[in-house]
Amino acid sequence: MTEADQDKFRRKALQVTEAQAKIMPYAKETEAETVSLPKAFGRILAERVSAPHPYPHFRRSGMDGFAILSCDTTGCHAGQPVLLEVVDEVPAGSVPKVKLKPGQATRIMTGAKVPDEADAVVMFEMTESVAQAGKTYIRLIREIEPGKNITPIGLELSEGDLILEAGRKLSAGEISVLATFGIHRVPVRKRPRIAVFSTGSELLRVDEPLQDGRIRNSNTYMLYSQIIEAGGEPILFEAIEDDLAQAKAQVEAAFANYDMVVTTGGVSVGDYDIMADLVSGDSVDMLFNKVTMRPGSVTTAAVKDGKLLFALSGNPGACFVGFELFVRPAIGRMMGIPQPFLTELTAELARPYAKINNFTRFVRGRLEVREGKLYATPAELDESGVMITIKDSDALIVIPPSSAGMEAGRQVTVLKLPGGNF
């Protein structure tokens, strides 16, 4: 047995948090680039954004009605009504043309600029129109307090206030705010370009007919989708045959041209597990090749020229979990996301989980709120080679090592998966 073969069997297992800590120093932030506002959707903000002006930047009416001087209504009541002459009209988007004087009112629409002299807006339904001597008046039968129905300058934000922190993902709400302040060119993090390989002579292309003893290359497309969801730009390559020299050449070429390399398959200890051989060679520096987790204990990470290589299990369930625990956080850190790890919640286990565990299990499952309490239901099929339940899961349920399984009703930590229904 060669020294490389011996290294494949002499694996030192790390805790998940230890393995995560080893990869994060190599997840260097990508450079910033500036994109147009429509193209900023879904991107990660590279710089903090402050308000260039107050919002709103003019006093605006909160409803359709009449802008008035509130002092004109002092002492007003049903037995002593007040008549105010209507001298101007201000639709939304226009400005007042007449300077208000005592005893006068301006017809105004919702969102329109309030005349500088006015200090209140009375809603249309509280007035009665009166025509006298060719002039139009409104009749009021109650006092109106100063500031009524007027949105003041800077109610939401003052000039210089923080709008968005760096590292914020730009969704519809953020895009709306940027547009409101006229920020049409947005600094965002460049998407890391990530090469994706599957390994194994047993793999068929997805468009090939079934063959006995072979399977379609589904992991590549799962990883492609996960990378996009995490904010990266995946580049798919043809599956690598079980040939170490070929694998080494293709992976080294990918390192030269891309920001990260992710492979699936070939990380166990069999004769044909080429990624296990590759990462134990001299061309890369291995960070870890075993983690105390199920599924995916053989998840492996290495670094070359400061760039990360993740060699994930070929089993779909293990590949999925390995990506979520290690690759997604690395991409998030490269994008400048302050908290790149999956969100932790606490839930009650909805049904027993009978499997005993030497390692911590990350069990696919569903979250549900019943009567204000969060429940987590483990998937019926959760073997590392099972892929069907991936589509039905919105969380990973963390089951600690145990020799007796876990009863229903126990409190468990759950990691919320992105894109789930919960």
Side-chain angles (χ1 to χ4, degrees), residues 65-70 72-73 82-90 96-108 113-115 117-124 127-129 135-140 144:
F66 296 88
I68 64 171
L69 282 66
S70 63
D72 283 337
T73 67
V82 168
L83 290 181
L84 301 175
E85 182 186 0
V86 181
V87 296
D88 194 10
E89 182 172 345
V90 186
K97 301 179 291 293
V98 177
K99 185 175 181 179
L100 278 185
K101 298 177 182 178
Q104 295 180 335
T106 293
R107 180 77 169 98
I108 195 166
K113 177 179 170 61
V114 175
E117 304 78 28
D119 67 349
V121 170
V122 57
M123 64 188 301
F124 181 80
T127 67
E128 178 185 351
S129 181
K135 297 181 179 180
T136 300
Y137 295 83
I138 56 169
R139 182 173 181 268
L140 298 176
I144 305 298

mmCIF file of all heavy atoms in Angstrom, residues 65-70 72-73 82-90 96-108 113-115 117-124 127-129 135-140 144:
data_model
loop_
_atom_site.group_PDB
_atom_site.id
_atom_site.type_symbol
_atom_site.label_atom_id
_atom_site.label_comp_id
_atom_site.label_asym_id
_atom_site.label_seq_id
_atom_site.Cartn_x
_atom_site.Cartn_y
_atom_site.Cartn_z
ATOM 1 N N GLY A 65 -57.760 66.616 0.213
ATOM 2 C CA GLY A 65 -58.468 67.543 1.092
ATOM 3 C C GLY A 65 -58.113 68.978 0.792
ATOM 4 O O GLY A 65 -57.923 69.350 -0.374
ATOM 5 N N PHE A 66 -57.964 69.768 1.857
ATOM 6 C CA PHE A 66 -57.678 71.188 1.719
ATOM 7 C C PHE A 66 -56.588 71.581 2.708
ATOM 8 O O PHE A 66 -56.669 71.247 3.901
ATOM 9 C CB PHE A 66 -58.936 72.026 1.976
ATOM 10 C CG PHE A 66 -60.017 71.793 0.968
ATOM 11 C CD1 PHE A 66 -60.956 70.784 1.156
ATOM 12 C CD2 PHE A 66 -60.097 72.568 -0.176
ATOM 13 C CE1 PHE A 66 -61.957 70.555 0.227
ATOM 14 C CE2 PHE A 66 -61.099 72.350 -1.117
ATOM 15 C CZ PHE A 66 -62.021 71.337 -0.920
ATOM 16 N N ALA A 67 -55.540 72.250 2.200
ATOM 17 C CA ALA A 67 -54.495 72.787 3.066
ATOM 18 C C ALA A 67 -54.981 74.113 3.631
ATOM 19 O O ALA A 67 -55.488 74.967 2.894
ATOM 20 C CB ALA A 67 -53.219 72.983 2.259
ATOM 21 N N ILE A 68 -54.818 74.254 4.946
ATOM 22 C CA ILE A 68 -55.355 75.448 5.609
ATOM 23 C C ILE A 68 -54.370 75.960 6.657
ATOM 24 O O ILE A 68 -53.361 75.311 6.955
ATOM 25 C CB ILE A 68 -56.699 75.139 6.308
ATOM 26 C CG1 ILE A 68 -56.477 74.122 7.446
ATOM 27 C CG2 ILE A 68 -57.724 74.620 5.307
ATOM 28 C CD1 ILE A 68 -57.699 73.925 8.339
ATOM 29 N N LEU A 69 -54.677 77.122 7.211
ATOM 30 C CA LEU A 69 -54.005 77.626 8.405
ATOM 31 C C LEU A 69 -54.868 77.199 9.589
ATOM 32 O O LEU A 69 -56.046 77.613 9.684
ATOM 33 C CB LEU A 69 -53.876 79.143 8.366
ATOM 34 C CG LEU A 69 -52.769 79.749 7.496
ATOM 35 C CD1 LEU A 69 -53.007 79.475 6.015
ATOM 36 C CD2 LEU A 69 -52.664 81.261 7.738
ATOM 37 N N SER A 70 -54.338 76.369 10.464
ATOM 38 C CA SER A 70 -55.160 75.807 11.534
ATOM 39 C C SER A 70 -55.746 76.878 12.439
ATOM 40 O O SER A 70 -56.830 76.697 13.007
ATOM 41 C CB SER A 70 -54.340 74.813 12.365
ATOM 42 O OG SER A 70 -53.250 75.462 13.007
ATOM 43 N N ASP A 72 -57.209 79.461 11.622
ATOM 44 C CA ASP A 72 -58.492 79.919 11.100
ATOM 45 C C ASP A 72 -59.659 79.132 11.675
ATOM 46 O O ASP A 72 -60.818 79.561 11.566
ATOM 47 C CB ASP A 72 -58.521 79.799 9.568
ATOM 48 C CG ASP A 72 -57.743 80.895 8.865
ATOM 49 O OD1 ASP A 72 -57.543 81.971 9.473
ATOM 50 O OD2 ASP A 72 -57.336 80.681 7.699
ATOM 51 N N THR A 73 -59.389 77.961 12.283
ATOM 52 C CA THR A 73 -60.476 77.126 12.808
ATOM 53 C C THR A 73 -60.617 77.244 14.323
ATOM 54 O O THR A 73 -61.423 76.526 14.921
ATOM 55 C CB THR A 73 -60.248 75.653 12.435
ATOM 56 O OG1 THR A 73 -59.091 75.157 13.129
ATOM 57 C CG2 THR A 73 -60.042 75.500 10.937
ATOM 58 N N VAL A 82 -66.929 77.927 10.048
ATOM 59 C CA VAL A 82 -65.963 78.815 9.400
ATOM 60 C C VAL A 82 -66.009 78.579 7.903
ATOM 61 O O VAL A 82 -66.088 77.434 7.441
ATOM 62 C CB VAL A 82 -64.533 78.539 9.928
ATOM 63 C CG1 VAL A 82 -63.485 79.239 9.059
ATOM 64 C CG2 VAL A 82 -64.404 78.993 11.373
ATOM 65 N N LEU A 83 -65.987 79.674 7.137
ATOM 66 C CA LEU A 83 -65.884 79.584 5.687
ATOM 67 C C LEU A 83 -64.493 80.013 5.254
ATOM 68 O O LEU A 83 -63.997 81.068 5.671
ATOM 69 C CB LEU A 83 -66.928 80.485 5.006
ATOM 70 C CG LEU A 83 -68.391 80.074 5.118
ATOM 71 C CD1 LEU A 83 -69.264 81.077 4.366
ATOM 72 C CD2 LEU A 83 -68.616 78.680 4.566
ATOM 73 N N LEU A 84 -63.829 79.158 4.414
ATOM 74 C CA LEU A 84 -62.498 79.464 3.896
ATOM 75 C C LEU A 84 -62.566 79.476 2.372
ATOM 76 O O LEU A 84 -63.090 78.538 1.755
ATOM 77 C CB LEU A 84 -61.472 78.428 4.368
ATOM 78 C CG LEU A 84 -61.300 78.272 5.882
ATOM 79 C CD1 LEU A 84 -60.329 77.124 6.186
ATOM 80 C CD2 LEU A 84 -60.804 79.566 6.516
ATOM 81 N N GLU A 85 -62.034 80.529 1.779
ATOM 82 C CA GLU A 85 -62.064 80.650 0.332
ATOM 83 C C GLU A 85 -61.010 79.744 -0.313
ATOM 84 O O GLU A 85 -59.840 79.760 0.084
ATOM 85 C CB GLU A 85 -61.821 82.098 -0.093
ATOM 86 C CG GLU A 85 -61.882 82.295 -1.604
ATOM 87 C CD GLU A 85 -61.493 83.701 -2.034
ATOM 88 O OE1 GLU A 85 -61.172 84.525 -1.151
ATOM 89 O OE2 GLU A 85 -61.497 83.951 -3.252
ATOM 90 N N VAL A 86 -61.415 78.956 -1.311
ATOM 91 C CA VAL A 86 -60.498 78.088 -2.041
ATOM 92 C C VAL A 86 -59.834 78.903 -3.150
ATOM 93 O O VAL A 86 -60.517 79.368 -4.080
ATOM 94 C CB VAL A 86 -61.235 76.874 -2.631
ATOM 95 C CG1 VAL A 86 -60.248 75.976 -3.378
ATOM 96 C CG2 VAL A 86 -61.949 76.093 -1.530
ATOM 97 N N VAL A 87 -58.499 79.092 -3.046
ATOM 98 C CA VAL A 87 -57.786 79.988 -3.967
ATOM 99 C C VAL A 87 -56.769 79.272 -4.861
ATOM 100 O O VAL A 87 -56.179 79.900 -5.748
ATOM 101 C CB VAL A 87 -57.069 81.102 -3.173
ATOM 102 C CG1 VAL A 87 -58.084 81.981 -2.453
ATOM 103 C CG2 VAL A 87 -56.045 80.510 -2.194
ATOM 104 N N ASP A 88 -56.560 77.977 -4.649
ATOM 105 C CA ASP A 88 -55.538 77.280 -5.437
ATOM 106 C C ASP A 88 -55.849 75.790 -5.414
ATOM 107 O O ASP A 88 -56.638 75.309 -4.584
ATOM 108 C CB ASP A 88 -54.152 77.559 -4.862
ATOM 109 C CG ASP A 88 -53.004 77.172 -5.801
ATOM 110 O OD1 ASP A 88 -53.284 76.854 -6.974
ATOM 111 O OD2 ASP A 88 -51.839 77.185 -5.351
ATOM 112 N N GLU A 89 -55.246 75.067 -6.342
ATOM 113 C CA GLU A 89 -55.373 73.608 -6.391
ATOM 114 C C GLU A 89 -54.005 73.013 -6.714
ATOM 115 O O GLU A 89 -53.322 73.474 -7.631
ATOM 116 C CB GLU A 89 -56.388 73.174 -7.445
ATOM 117 C CG GLU A 89 -56.593 71.664 -7.493
ATOM 118 C CD GLU A 89 -57.745 71.261 -8.401
ATOM 119 O OE1 GLU A 89 -58.554 72.144 -8.753
ATOM 120 O OE2 GLU A 89 -57.828 70.068 -8.736
ATOM 121 N N VAL A 90 -53.585 71.986 -5.945
ATOM 122 C CA VAL A 90 -52.263 71.384 -6.115
ATOM 123 C C VAL A 90 -52.415 69.874 -6.312
ATOM 124 O O VAL A 90 -52.591 69.130 -5.344
ATOM 125 C CB VAL A 90 -51.343 71.659 -4.915
ATOM 126 C CG1 VAL A 90 -49.933 71.129 -5.205
ATOM 127 C CG2 VAL A 90 -51.301 73.132 -4.564
ATOM 128 N N PRO A 96 -47.556 74.590 -5.184
ATOM 129 C CA PRO A 96 -48.542 75.676 -5.007
ATOM 130 C C PRO A 96 -48.188 76.902 -5.849
ATOM 131 O O PRO A 96 -47.022 77.239 -6.018
ATOM 132 C CB PRO A 96 -48.456 75.978 -3.512
ATOM 133 C CG PRO A 96 -47.892 74.736 -2.888
ATOM 134 C CD PRO A 96 -46.955 74.172 -3.902
ATOM 135 N N LYS A 97 -49.231 77.568 -6.354
ATOM 136 C CA LYS A 97 -49.032 78.779 -7.153
ATOM 137 C C LYS A 97 -49.442 80.033 -6.399
ATOM 138 O O LYS A 97 -49.107 81.148 -6.808
ATOM 139 C CB LYS A 97 -49.845 78.675 -8.447
ATOM 140 C CG LYS A 97 -49.474 77.477 -9.325
ATOM 141 C CD LYS A 97 -50.301 77.383 -10.590
ATOM 142 C CE LYS A 97 -51.751 77.015 -10.300
ATOM 143 N NZ LYS A 97 -51.884 75.642 -9.766
ATOM 144 N N VAL A 98 -50.195 79.847 -5.326
ATOM 145 C CA VAL A 98 -50.723 80.985 -4.569
ATOM 146 C C VAL A 98 -50.235 80.900 -3.129
ATOM 147 O O VAL A 98 -50.284 79.842 -2.510
ATOM 148 C CB VAL A 98 -52.270 80.998 -4.600
ATOM 149 C CG1 VAL A 98 -52.812 82.136 -3.744
ATOM 150 C CG2 VAL A 98 -52.777 81.112 -6.035
ATOM 151 N N LYS A 99 -49.761 82.018 -2.607
ATOM 152 C CA LYS A 99 -49.358 82.089 -1.209
ATOM 153 C C LYS A 99 -50.598 82.261 -0.348
ATOM 154 O O LYS A 99 -51.346 83.232 -0.494
ATOM 155 C CB LYS A 99 -48.397 83.259 -1.006
ATOM 156 C CG LYS A 99 -47.820 83.345 0.394
ATOM 157 C CD LYS A 99 -46.782 84.457 0.487
ATOM 158 C CE LYS A 99 -46.171 84.527 1.883
ATOM 159 N NZ LYS A 99 -45.141 85.588 1.979
ATOM 160 N N LEU A 100 -50.827 81.300 0.542
ATOM 161 C CA LEU A 100 -52.045 81.324 1.357
ATOM 162 C C LEU A 100 -52.040 82.478 2.351
ATOM 163 O O LEU A 100 -51.015 82.773 2.983
ATOM 164 C CB LEU A 100 -52.208 80.010 2.112
ATOM 165 C CG LEU A 100 -52.827 78.822 1.378
ATOM 166 C CD1 LEU A 100 -53.013 77.664 2.358
ATOM 167 C CD2 LEU A 100 -54.149 79.181 0.736
ATOM 168 N N LYS A 101 -53.207 83.070 2.516
ATOM 169 C CA LYS A 101 -53.431 84.108 3.521
ATOM 170 C C LYS A 101 -54.495 83.619 4.485
ATOM 171 O O LYS A 101 -55.223 82.669 4.182
ATOM 172 C CB LYS A 101 -53.883 85.395 2.837
ATOM 173 C CG LYS A 101 -52.876 85.995 1.871
ATOM 174 C CD LYS A 101 -53.446 87.229 1.198
ATOM 175 C CE LYS A 101 -52.457 87.814 0.185
ATOM 176 N NZ LYS A 101 -53.017 88.984 -0.521
ATOM 177 N N PRO A 102 -54.620 84.248 5.651
ATOM 178 C CA PRO A 102 -55.696 83.872 6.568
ATOM 179 C C PRO A 102 -57.048 83.912 5.871
ATOM 180 O O PRO A 102 -57.319 84.805 5.070
ATOM 181 C CB PRO A 102 -55.602 84.923 7.675
ATOM 182 C CG PRO A 102 -54.157 85.316 7.678
ATOM 183 C CD PRO A 102 -53.741 85.291 6.244
ATOM 184 N N GLY A 103 -57.849 82.915 6.166
ATOM 185 C CA GLY A 103 -59.172 82.836 5.562
ATOM 186 C C GLY A 103 -59.186 82.123 4.226
ATOM 187 O O GLY A 103 -60.236 82.080 3.572
ATOM 188 N N GLN A 104 -58.067 81.563 3.810
ATOM 189 C CA GLN A 104 -57.995 80.899 2.513
ATOM 190 C C GLN A 104 -57.613 79.425 2.678
ATOM 191 O O GLN A 104 -57.071 79.006 3.702
ATOM 192 C CB GLN A 104 -56.976 81.598 1.607
ATOM 193 C CG GLN A 104 -57.359 83.025 1.234
ATOM 194 C CD GLN A 104 -56.326 83.676 0.341
ATOM 195 O OE1 GLN A 104 -55.150 83.306 0.345
ATOM 196 N NE2 GLN A 104 -56.765 84.675 -0.441
ATOM 197 N N ALA A 105 -57.887 78.656 1.627
ATOM 198 C CA ALA A 105 -57.559 77.223 1.602
ATOM 199 C C ALA A 105 -57.112 76.844 0.198
ATOM 200 O O ALA A 105 -57.455 77.505 -0.785
ATOM 201 C CB ALA A 105 -58.768 76.389 2.013
ATOM 202 N N THR A 106 -56.320 75.763 0.126
ATOM 203 C CA THR A 106 -55.850 75.223 -1.157
ATOM 204 C C THR A 106 -56.336 73.790 -1.298
ATOM 205 O O THR A 106 -56.109 72.972 -0.406
ATOM 206 C CB THR A 106 -54.311 75.241 -1.227
ATOM 207 O OG1 THR A 106 -53.854 76.597 -1.251
ATOM 208 C CG2 THR A 106 -53.812 74.529 -2.484
ATOM 209 N N ARG A 107 -57.023 73.528 -2.427
ATOM 210 C CA ARG A 107 -57.411 72.133 -2.721
ATOM 211 C C ARG A 107 -56.133 71.352 -2.999
ATOM 212 O O ARG A 107 -55.279 71.773 -3.776
ATOM 213 C CB ARG A 107 -58.315 72.113 -3.959
ATOM 214 C CG ARG A 107 -58.785 70.712 -4.362
ATOM 215 C CD ARG A 107 -59.899 70.233 -3.450
ATOM 216 N NE ARG A 107 -60.534 69.022 -3.981
ATOM 217 C CZ ARG A 107 -60.251 67.783 -3.603
ATOM 218 N NH1 ARG A 107 -59.296 67.574 -2.689
ATOM 219 N NH2 ARG A 107 -60.906 66.758 -4.094
ATOM 220 N N ILE A 108 -55.990 70.198 -2.347
ATOM 221 C CA ILE A 108 -54.732 69.446 -2.458
ATOM 222 C C ILE A 108 -55.014 67.957 -2.561
ATOM 223 O O ILE A 108 -56.009 67.453 -2.019
ATOM 224 C CB ILE A 108 -53.808 69.758 -1.258
ATOM 225 C CG1 ILE A 108 -52.365 69.298 -1.523
ATOM 226 C CG2 ILE A 108 -54.347 69.139 0.029
ATOM 227 C CD1 ILE A 108 -51.361 69.870 -0.544
ATOM 228 N N LYS A 113 -47.355 68.588 -2.646
ATOM 229 C CA LYS A 113 -46.625 69.515 -1.771
ATOM 230 C C LYS A 113 -47.599 70.467 -1.074
ATOM 231 O O LYS A 113 -48.426 71.115 -1.714
ATOM 232 C CB LYS A 113 -45.616 70.324 -2.581
ATOM 233 C CG LYS A 113 -44.843 71.373 -1.784
ATOM 234 C CD LYS A 113 -43.861 72.114 -2.664
ATOM 235 C CE LYS A 113 -43.252 73.330 -1.960
ATOM 236 N NZ LYS A 113 -42.495 72.965 -0.757
ATOM 237 N N VAL A 114 -47.466 70.558 0.244
ATOM 238 C CA VAL A 114 -48.310 71.442 1.036
ATOM 239 C C VAL A 114 -47.761 72.872 0.938
ATOM 240 O O VAL A 114 -46.544 73.079 1.032
ATOM 241 C CB VAL A 114 -48.341 70.984 2.507
ATOM 242 C CG1 VAL A 114 -49.122 71.953 3.371
ATOM 243 C CG2 VAL A 114 -48.926 69.574 2.608
ATOM 244 N N PRO A 115 -48.625 73.859 0.739
ATOM 245 C CA PRO A 115 -48.142 75.249 0.727
ATOM 246 C C PRO A 115 -47.348 75.577 1.988
ATOM 247 O O PRO A 115 -47.684 75.109 3.084
ATOM 248 C CB PRO A 115 -49.423 76.067 0.646
ATOM 249 C CG PRO A 115 -50.438 75.135 0.040
ATOM 250 C CD PRO A 115 -50.067 73.775 0.530
ATOM 251 N N GLU A 117 -47.206 78.105 3.803
ATOM 252 C CA GLU A 117 -47.934 78.832 4.853
ATOM 253 C C GLU A 117 -48.897 77.935 5.618
ATOM 254 O O GLU A 117 -49.276 78.244 6.755
ATOM 255 C CB GLU A 117 -48.735 79.987 4.228
ATOM 256 C CG GLU A 117 -47.905 80.970 3.414
ATOM 257 C CD GLU A 117 -47.567 80.434 2.037
ATOM 258 O OE1 GLU A 117 -48.345 79.607 1.490
ATOM 259 O OE2 GLU A 117 -46.497 80.806 1.507
ATOM 260 N N ALA A 118 -49.321 76.826 5.009
ATOM 261 C CA ALA A 118 -50.314 75.950 5.638
ATOM 262 C C ALA A 118 -49.664 75.089 6.709
ATOM 263 O O ALA A 118 -48.505 74.688 6.595
ATOM 264 C CB ALA A 118 -50.973 75.072 4.578
ATOM 265 N N ASP A 119 -50.406 74.768 7.755
ATOM 266 C CA ASP A 119 -49.894 73.871 8.798
ATOM 267 C C ASP A 119 -50.841 72.724 9.094
ATOM 268 O O ASP A 119 -50.669 72.011 10.081
ATOM 269 C CB ASP A 119 -49.592 74.657 10.077
ATOM 270 C CG ASP A 119 -50.840 75.224 10.742
ATOM 271 O OD1 ASP A 119 -51.917 75.189 10.115
ATOM 272 O OD2 ASP A 119 -50.743 75.708 11.881
ATOM 273 N N ALA A 120 -51.839 72.518 8.229
ATOM 274 C CA ALA A 120 -52.753 71.392 8.407
ATOM 275 C C ALA A 120 -53.461 71.113 7.088
ATOM 276 O O ALA A 120 -53.571 71.988 6.218
ATOM 277 C CB ALA A 120 -53.776 71.680 9.506
ATOM 278 N N VAL A 121 -53.919 69.863 6.961
ATOM 279 C CA VAL A 121 -54.761 69.475 5.833
ATOM 280 C C VAL A 121 -56.026 68.851 6.424
ATOM 281 O O VAL A 121 -55.958 67.958 7.266
ATOM 282 C CB VAL A 121 -54.058 68.467 4.905
ATOM 283 C CG1 VAL A 121 -55.039 67.903 3.874
ATOM 284 C CG2 VAL A 121 -52.881 69.126 4.197
ATOM 285 N N VAL A 122 -57.177 69.364 5.972
ATOM 286 C CA VAL A 122 -58.449 68.810 6.425
ATOM 287 C C VAL A 122 -58.964 67.897 5.321
ATOM 288 O O VAL A 122 -58.940 68.240 4.144
ATOM 289 C CB VAL A 122 -59.467 69.928 6.757
ATOM 290 C CG1 VAL A 122 -59.703 70.846 5.575
ATOM 291 C CG2 VAL A 122 -60.782 69.333 7.242
ATOM 292 N N MET A 123 -59.383 66.707 5.696
ATOM 293 C CA MET A 123 -59.806 65.739 4.690
ATOM 294 C C MET A 123 -61.065 66.219 3.981
ATOM 295 O O MET A 123 -61.913 66.912 4.566
ATOM 296 C CB MET A 123 -60.009 64.362 5.311
ATOM 297 C CG MET A 123 -61.104 64.268 6.343
ATOM 298 S SD MET A 123 -61.119 62.664 7.207
ATOM 299 C CE MET A 123 -61.341 61.553 5.840
ATOM 300 N N PHE A 124 -61.177 65.841 2.731
ATOM 301 C CA PHE A 124 -62.248 66.322 1.867
ATOM 302 C C PHE A 124 -63.623 66.026 2.471
ATOM 303 O O PHE A 124 -64.543 66.866 2.410
ATOM 304 C CB PHE A 124 -62.115 65.662 0.484
ATOM 305 C CG PHE A 124 -63.143 66.105 -0.508
ATOM 306 C CD1 PHE A 124 -63.005 67.307 -1.192
ATOM 307 C CD2 PHE A 124 -64.264 65.319 -0.777
ATOM 308 C CE1 PHE A 124 -63.962 67.723 -2.114
ATOM 309 C CE2 PHE A 124 -65.217 65.729 -1.693
ATOM 310 C CZ PHE A 124 -65.067 66.928 -2.364
ATOM 311 N N THR A 127 -65.489 68.498 4.885
ATOM 312 C CA THR A 127 -65.823 69.849 4.414
ATOM 313 C C THR A 127 -67.125 69.833 3.616
ATOM 314 O O THR A 127 -67.567 68.800 3.129
ATOM 315 C CB THR A 127 -64.701 70.412 3.532
ATOM 316 O OG1 THR A 127 -64.627 69.653 2.316
ATOM 317 C CG2 THR A 127 -63.353 70.365 4.236
ATOM 318 N N GLU A 128 -67.698 71.019 3.499
ATOM 319 C CA GLU A 128 -68.880 71.223 2.649
ATOM 320 C C GLU A 128 -68.577 72.384 1.716
ATOM 321 O O GLU A 128 -68.093 73.437 2.157
ATOM 322 C CB GLU A 128 -70.103 71.545 3.505
ATOM 323 C CG GLU A 128 -71.365 71.812 2.703
ATOM 324 C CD GLU A 128 -72.524 72.241 3.592
ATOM 325 O OE1 GLU A 128 -72.398 72.162 4.830
ATOM 326 O OE2 GLU A 128 -73.550 72.680 3.029
ATOM 327 N N SER A 129 -68.792 72.160 0.419
ATOM 328 C CA SER A 129 -68.515 73.206 -0.560
ATOM 329 C C SER A 129 -69.650 74.220 -0.585
ATOM 330 O O SER A 129 -70.834 73.837 -0.583
ATOM 331 C CB SER A 129 -68.332 72.583 -1.943
ATOM 332 O OG SER A 129 -68.032 73.577 -2.894
ATOM 333 N N LYS A 135 -67.440 82.903 -5.945
ATOM 334 C CA LYS A 135 -66.263 82.294 -5.314
ATOM 335 C C LYS A 135 -66.647 80.971 -4.659
ATOM 336 O O LYS A 135 -67.817 80.760 -4.314
ATOM 337 C CB LYS A 135 -65.659 83.235 -4.272
ATOM 338 C CG LYS A 135 -65.126 84.539 -4.856
ATOM 339 C CD LYS A 135 -64.514 85.401 -3.765
ATOM 340 C CE LYS A 135 -63.955 86.712 -4.341
ATOM 341 N NZ LYS A 135 -63.356 87.578 -3.293
ATOM 342 N N THR A 136 -65.649 80.105 -4.499
ATOM 343 C CA THR A 136 -65.878 78.806 -3.867
ATOM 344 C C THR A 136 -65.266 78.811 -2.472
ATOM 345 O O THR A 136 -64.108 79.223 -2.282
ATOM 346 C CB THR A 136 -65.253 77.665 -4.690
ATOM 347 O OG1 THR A 136 -65.850 77.659 -5.991
ATOM 348 C CG2 THR A 136 -65.476 76.312 -4.019
ATOM 349 N N TYR A 137 -66.041 78.347 -1.516
ATOM 350 C CA TYR A 137 -65.581 78.276 -0.129
ATOM 351 C C TYR A 137 -65.758 76.833 0.377
ATOM 352 O O TYR A 137 -66.511 76.044 -0.198
ATOM 353 C CB TYR A 137 -66.414 79.214 0.765
ATOM 354 C CG TYR A 137 -66.263 80.672 0.446
ATOM 355 C CD1 TYR A 137 -67.021 81.259 -0.585
ATOM 356 C CD2 TYR A 137 -65.390 81.489 1.179
ATOM 357 C CE1 TYR A 137 -66.892 82.601 -0.879
ATOM 358 C CE2 TYR A 137 -65.263 82.837 0.888
ATOM 359 C CZ TYR A 137 -66.019 83.382 -0.139
ATOM 360 O OH TYR A 137 -65.892 84.737 -0.438
ATOM 361 N N ILE A 138 -65.042 76.517 1.437
ATOM 362 C CA ILE A 138 -65.348 75.292 2.182
ATOM 363 C C ILE A 138 -65.856 75.691 3.554
ATOM 364 O O ILE A 138 -65.398 76.687 4.155
ATOM 365 C CB ILE A 138 -64.136 74.354 2.304
ATOM 366 C CG1 ILE A 138 -62.923 75.058 2.936
ATOM 367 C CG2 ILE A 138 -63.787 73.730 0.976
ATOM 368 C CD1 ILE A 138 -61.799 74.119 3.324
ATOM 369 N N ARG A 139 -66.797 74.909 4.041
ATOM 370 C CA ARG A 139 -67.411 75.163 5.347
ATOM 371 C C ARG A 139 -66.907 74.109 6.320
ATOM 372 O O ARG A 139 -66.996 72.912 6.063
ATOM 373 C CB ARG A 139 -68.928 75.117 5.216
ATOM 374 C CG ARG A 139 -69.712 75.402 6.497
ATOM 375 C CD ARG A 139 -71.195 75.487 6.133
ATOM 376 N NE ARG A 139 -72.010 75.770 7.295
ATOM 377 C CZ ARG A 139 -72.578 74.846 8.075
ATOM 378 N NH1 ARG A 139 -72.393 73.553 7.778
ATOM 379 N NH2 ARG A 139 -73.328 75.189 9.100
ATOM 380 N N LEU A 140 -66.363 74.560 7.456
ATOM 381 C CA LEU A 140 -65.853 73.660 8.493
ATOM 382 C C LEU A 140 -66.644 73.865 9.766
ATOM 383 O O LEU A 140 -67.014 75.006 10.110
ATOM 384 C CB LEU A 140 -64.371 73.934 8.769
ATOM 385 C CG LEU A 140 -63.398 73.710 7.609
ATOM 386 C CD1 LEU A 140 -61.989 74.133 8.021
ATOM 387 C CD2 LEU A 140 -63.406 72.261 7.174
ATOM 388 N N ILE A 144 -59.302 72.242 13.650
ATOM 389 C CA ILE A 144 -58.292 71.357 13.075
ATOM 390 C C ILE A 144 -56.956 71.672 13.737
ATOM 391 O O ILE A 144 -56.521 72.827 13.739
ATOM 392 C CB ILE A 144 -58.182 71.551 11.543
ATOM 393 C CG1 ILE A 144 -59.545 71.367 10.871
ATOM 394 C CG2 ILE A 144 -57.138 70.593 10.973
ATOM 395 C CD1 ILE A 144 -60.146 69.993 11.048
#
